[in-house]
Every structure is written in C-alpha cells, then in structure tokens.
Amino acid sequence: MGNGVFIAVPCYGGQVYGLFASKLAEYQQILRQAGVRTTVNWLFTESHIARGRDTLASDFLLRSDCAVMQWLDADLEFSPAALALQTELVLDSHADAIGGNYPGKAYFPDQLAPALAAGLAPQAALNATLKTVTKLTAGDGTDTAPDALGGPLEGSRGVEVMVVEGHTLLRAVELPTGLLTVHRKVFAAVADLPGVERYQGVDGKEVVKDCFGFHTDAFETRTLRGKPLRIRLSEDYAFCARAKQAGFELWSNPHNVAAHWGIHRYGEPSQ
C-alpha cells in the first residue's frame, strides 16, 4: 500500500469555484514537497449526492492504491496548509478520520444584534451567527455543537480532547464530508457492514452502495424550537454513524476552517 492521497471532488452541477481550484493546487504542492503522491478524482455529472459519494468512495477503495481519501467539496475556500497537516495526521495513523469545519449556508439575522452590540464589523457580525455542521462529544458522553467556528474550542462545554504531535483534535459524533480525511481501513470496514451492498454501475464499474446512503436506521430525534423532531440523517452523518458502528473514532480539527460559497460567501477560511 502506497502513501498516496486520493482527493475526491464532487462538483454538483459541474461547477468549481475559482478560489477552490487555486487552493487545491496549493494543497497538492505542499503534499508533493512532503513526498506525498496525490491523485484527483472529479465527479461532474452526478445529481444524487449519496450515490455520487458512493461512486467516488468506490473508485478509492476498489480502483486505487492510495492509503488516505481526502474529500474536498468544490464550493469550499479552505486553508491548504491546515488541510495538508490534517491529511498527514491520518497518513501517519494518528487518527482514523479527521474532519475540518465549515458553516452551513445560512445566516441567522435574529442573532445579528448581539454581535453588532459587541462591536463587531458588519461582515464579522454576520459570520458570528453562522453555525458549524460538526457535532462534538462532551466528556460526559453527551453531544454538543462547538461554540463558534474556529477559535480555541478546546475544553468547550467539556469536549473530549486529543493532542497529537502538538495539534489539538476534538472527539466528534458527526462530521461534514466536504473536508473529511479518512484512512482506507475505515472504508474497507464500512464496505463490509450489513446493509452495504455492491453492484455494477452503468459503466460496468463495481460500486459499493450505501457507504453514504440513506439507510433505514439513519434517523434520530432532535429538538427544534422546543419540539421533538424525527429527522433523517444526511449522507455524511449516515457515513459517520457507520464508521462508528465499525469501531472507528471521529475527530474534528478546530484549526481547519473553510468558507462556504453559495449565494453568499459564508464565513472566513483559516489563515
């Protein structure tokens, strides 16, 4: 098994943001200088998110010899240096899966006034209302969301901390896929779980189905505005559930934060 990194880039609607492409080139250059081989697999035409991620995961697991899969969503503006460090931690087997952080594509104007009253500039105040899509594990076993994107989250609400090579990681329950670094052994184990099947795609290639699929037990009850709500987990959270079912730990990297491009630019990337 080589030390290669398989970079998986789903481009829904065939779109790639220019800043993403620039950061991707920088990221690859950093890894090359460290002696790490990279290959980029682009997926332009798939409109079904879970099926697209399964297709890219299958290309990694069945048709490459890379040791690590690095997910990169094409609408993110990320820090190449922060991501390269995260990738190398998984390559060196310090962790099985590490996720970076980025906000969902939604501002919360009702929370803007306190941020402005605290003296933040308008854009900074808007960014302060953003919510990360990462969920962490507190030391007492309960789940919690980070207090903010980036910043010193260590110990926030009792979150469990692991320090690796001087870098702090936070134990996670759910991680978004867009900046997720995963070791090959995780996908190999998930592909063998009950309910994960294999089939032949229209191009004749074998595909591992439902690593990211909406499997039947991917539901949970959460509270929204004080009321219980039964929701179906998105494909990235469903994968996290399966990785944990296979016995692996998930870690969040608080120092790797990306901006999320959409109608607006949501957030600021790590410097």
Side-chain angles (χ1 to χ4, degrees):
M1 185 63 61
N3 74 336
V5 174
F6 183 101
I7 304 170
V9 186
C11 309
Y12 301 110
Q15 297 181 5
V16 178
Y17 281 81
L19 282 168
F20 168 86
S22 172
K23 300 298 183 183
L24 173 60
E26 290 182 47
Y27 166 69
Q28 288 184 275
Q29 179 65 18
I30 292 172
L31 291 183
R32 277 196 296 270
Q33 291 174 347
V36 178
R37 171 174 54 92
T38 64
T39 181
V40 182
N41 232 34
W42 305 85
L43 186 65
F44 292 105
T45 57
E46 180 59 77
S47 60
H48 189 290
I49 295 175
R51 187 171 57 200
R53 294 206 188 276
D54 279 344
T55 298
L56 287 167
S58 300
D59 286 340
F60 164 65
L61 186 61
L62 305 177
R63 289 175 283 279
S64 87
D65 67 345
C66 292
V68 165
M69 185 173 194
Q70 179 60 63
W71 287 100
L72 276 176
D73 284 2
D75 56 358
L76 294 178
E77 179 189 347
F78 61 94
S79 163
L83 183 62
L85 173 61
Q86 175 177 305
T87 304
E88 290 174 5
L89 288 175
V90 177
L91 266 174
D92 293 340
S93 298
H94 292 298
D96 302 317
I98 305 175
N101 296 281
Y102 52 91
K105 294 183 180 180
Y107 287 118
F108 293 85
D110 59 319
Q111 300 173 20
L112 185 58
L116 289 171
L120 295 178
Q123 185 60 52
L126 276 174
N127 289 341
T129 74
L130 293 171
K131 305 298 182 185
T132 176
V133 287
T134 298
K135 184 191 282 187
L136 304 174
T137 302
D140 61 1
T142 59
D143 300 343
T144 182
D147 290 324
L149 281 163
L153 297 181
E154 301 86 58
S156 172
R157 301 182 189 172
V159 171
E160 186 176 346
V161 173
M162 176 172 71
V163 179
V164 179
E165 303 266 318
H167 305 288
T168 299
L169 301 176
L170 310 177
R171 186 183 288 276
V173 178
E174 295 172 350
L175 296 167
T177 315
L179 279 176
L180 183 61
T181 312
V182 188
H183 197 278
R184 171 178 284 270
K185 62 185 176 183
V186 179
F187 274 109
V190 168
D192 287 336
L193 287 175
V196 178
E197 303 173 1
R198 300 190 182 201
Y199 69 96
Q200 297 297 124
V202 294
D203 57 1
K205 293 181 179 179
E206 185 178 8
V207 178
V208 179
K209 178 178 180 291
D210 284 344
C211 280
F212 287 89
F214 299 107
H215 52 103
T216 55
D217 60 343
F219 288 86
E220 66 177 40
T221 300
R222 297 184 179 179
T223 301
L224 180 65
R225 299 186 182 92
K227 297 181 179 180
L229 179 68
R230 188 169 185 261
I231 64 169
R232 170 174 271 180
L233 297 181
S234 63
E235 90 289 344
D236 39 9
Y237 295 164
F239 172 76
C240 289
R242 286 198 152 138
K244 289 185 295 180
Q245 180 185 348
F248 295 98
E249 297 178 345
L250 307 174
W251 296 92
S252 175
N253 179 3
H255 309 291
N256 183 17
V257 180
H260 209 175
W261 280 89
I263 297 175
H264 306 281
R265 179 204 203 206
Y266 297 89
E268 298 286 339
S270 299
Q271 298 302 311

